[in-house]
Amino acid sequence: MMKMPKIDTRTLRASFIIAGMLSFAITILVITNHTSDIFSSYKLELIYYLSMFSICLIGVIPLGTIVYILFLFFDNPSYQTAIHIFARKKCEQRANKNAPYIASYLSCFLYEVIKKNDIVDIPVSDTSINYSGYAIRKNSVIYRFIIPVADMPDVDEYNLQKILQNTVIGQLNHYGITGLSSVYQDTTTIVPSVYIDRILYSEEKHLVAVDVLYICTSKDLLYYQNAVRESNNKNKAERTVYDDEV
């Protein structure tokens, strides 16, 4: 036999208070919109008002029950998770509406940056940089590009990320980026529009993954500023020399 859920008296009370307020508001709205000329006497008008308020009181019961059921529905963790996932998907759809368009230009730009930088030492062609998709990190769209290589670069991922980012800035300053803006600007800040967020090596698959942020919203700007701040703090920590190490 199915067990009935325990009634939460506090939620039930709140549900019927909300239902009462809604019923009263609807009743007042109906009354204020009626035309008093249709009544031939005050007695009929009084009967009309009493009838409307009676309907209001009777309507509290079904309306309160509906509100209580809605409270229980949204209080269920599984439903909350489903709603959260649905809302996240909708946000991602809005954020990624222009993703294919932006990714195609970023792919060409990344090719130009790597091709012109001998320090990177990654052999590329115009077809070897493959767009593999995007990820949402802190409400920003991060584009991932995969580059097949025979051997891993001599520098590690972190230093390669810094080298590439410096080259990106130079490329943006001198030549810009085809099809996209080379800077993001708001009322107080102007920054390069392309940021190399992370680089990952896969020695087993002989691949280099490059994660790229294209800064085109205030959320992207915030992500970029936090990433640069974390990178600067890491550099300071690496340069710190303690007395017992001298």
Side-chain angles (χ1 to χ4, degrees):
M1 185 175 179
M2 186 175 65
K3 185 178 180 181
M4 295 296 292
K6 185 178 179 181
I7 296 177
D8 186 343
T9 55
R10 182 179 299 178
T11 304
L12 186 63
R13 189 183 306 115
S15 301
F16 277 91
I17 290 174
I18 294 173
M21 294 173 65
L22 287 172
S23 297
F24 184 76
I26 294 172
T27 303
I28 294 299
L29 184 63
V30 172
I31 290 175
T32 52
N33 286 333
H34 91 280
T35 304
S36 59
D37 295 339
I38 65 174
F39 301 111
S40 59
S41 67
Y42 289 109
K43 185 180 291 187
L44 290 176
E45 192 168 1
L46 179 60
I47 292 174
Y48 171 77
Y49 290 152
L50 292 176
S51 300
M52 292 302 300
F53 280 111
S54 298
I55 294 172
C56 167
L57 294 175
I58 296 172
V60 169
I61 297 175
L63 188 58
T65 304
I66 293 172
V67 173
Y68 180 69
I69 292 173
L70 289 175
F71 270 127
L72 295 180
F73 177 84
F74 288 108
D75 192 49
N76 189 308
S78 61
Y79 293 128
Q80 290 178 354
T81 302
I83 293 170
H84 175 74
I85 293 174
F86 176 78
R88 182 176 179 84
K89 285 183 178 179
K90 288 298 180 182
C91 290
E92 288 184 7
Q93 288 175 1
R94 288 196 299 269
N96 298 313
K97 185 170 60 175
N98 298 319
Y101 169 84
I102 294 174
S104 63
Y105 287 113
L106 286 178
S107 178
C108 297
F109 177 76
L110 192 60
Y111 164 73
E112 293 176 359
V113 169
I114 296 176
K115 193 72 174 177
K116 292 180 179 179
N117 193 341
D118 297 332
I119 303 175
V120 175
D121 193 26
I122 298 178
V124 293
S125 66
D126 54 359
T127 59
S128 63
I129 299 180
N130 304 305
Y131 171 59
S132 67
Y134 61 84
I136 303 295
R137 296 180 193 157
K138 299 178 182 177
N139 298 317
S140 292
V141 182
I142 307 296
Y143 301 88
R144 172 161 291 188
F145 298 91
I146 301 296
I147 306 172
V149 293
D151 300 304
M152 292 298 110
D154 294 333
V155 295
D156 59 29
E157 293 120 311
Y158 177 68
N159 285 311
L160 181 58
Q161 184 265 340
K162 291 194 294 184
I163 292 171
L164 270 181
Q165 183 57 32
N166 290 334
T167 311
V168 162
I169 294 174
Q171 182 80 4
L172 291 173
N173 289 338
H174 289 90
Y175 305 103
I177 175 172
T178 303
L180 300 173
S181 175
S182 60
V183 297
Y184 174 81
Q185 184 174 5
D186 61 11
T187 55
T188 59
T189 309
I190 180 170
V191 298
S193 62
V194 180
Y195 176 69
I196 306 299
D197 184 57
R198 186 169 60 175
I199 292 180
L200 299 172
Y201 293 165
S202 176
E203 296 185 13
E204 298 81 6
K205 298 181 179 179
H206 295 280
L207 297 174
V208 174
V210 183
D211 289 352
V212 183
L213 168 70
Y214 178 68
I215 305 170
C216 57
T217 68
S218 57
K219 293 179 180 178
D220 297 334
L221 175 63
L222 181 61
Y223 184 100
Y224 166 78
Q225 291 172 333
N226 290 334
V228 170
R229 189 179 301 111
E230 290 175 3
S231 179
N232 292 337
N233 291 337
K234 184 175 181 179
N235 287 337
K236 290 179 182 178
E238 289 178 349
R239 290 197 300 267
T240 301
V241 178
Y242 297 96
D243 292 340
D244 58 353
E245 294 178 346
V246 177

